[in-house]
């Protein structure tokens, strides 16, 4: 039961990651890649090297995490 749930969670995580990568590729094609979706400022190159599919700059991501609590 545990192994089955673990495997299902892993598949779900991989599907979410694939979705984010595909969305980043669409933003790249549309010329919108690298801009924060919230504040519209550029996302730092360093952040994009670590998380190439990032939608938010570090500041906006931190604010989002605080709201989640």
């Amino acid at each position: 039961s545990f192994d089955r749930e673990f495997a299902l969670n892993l598949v779900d995580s991989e599907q979410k990651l694939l979705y984010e990568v595909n969305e980043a590729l669409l933003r790249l094609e549309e010329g919108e890649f690298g801009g924060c979706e919230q504040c519209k400022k550029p996302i730092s190159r360093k952040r994009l090297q670590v998380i190439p599919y990032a939608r938010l700059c570090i500041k906006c991501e931190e604010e989002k995490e605080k709201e989640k609590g």
Side-chain angles (χ1 to χ4, degrees):
S1 172
F2 173 79
D3 290 339
R4 183 175 171 185
E5 186 174 331
F6 178 78
L8 290 173
N9 286 334
L10 186 60
V11 168
D12 184 52
S13 294
E14 289 176 355
Q15 286 177 335
K16 288 178 183 176
L17 179 59
L18 181 58
Y19 173 79
E20 290 298 330
V21 169
N22 283 328
E23 288 294 306
L25 290 171
L26 287 174
R27 290 192 302 276
L28 185 62
E29 287 176 5
E30 296 170 356
E32 298 175 2
F33 181 78
C36 178
E37 291 182 353
Q38 188 169 332
C39 70
K40 308 300 183 205
K41 293 181 182 177
I43 299 173
S44 71
R45 182 176 297 254
K46 189 173 183 178
R47 176 163 171 76
L48 289 173
Q49 286 175 339
V50 175
I51 307 172
Y53 50 87
R55 295 174 177 262
L56 302 174
C57 67
I58 291 175
K59 181 180 175 186
C60 291
E61 184 68 38
E62 288 173 348
E63 289 174 7
K64 178 182 168 187
E65 292 298 318
K66 285 180 186 177
E67 290 174 6
K68 278 185 169 180

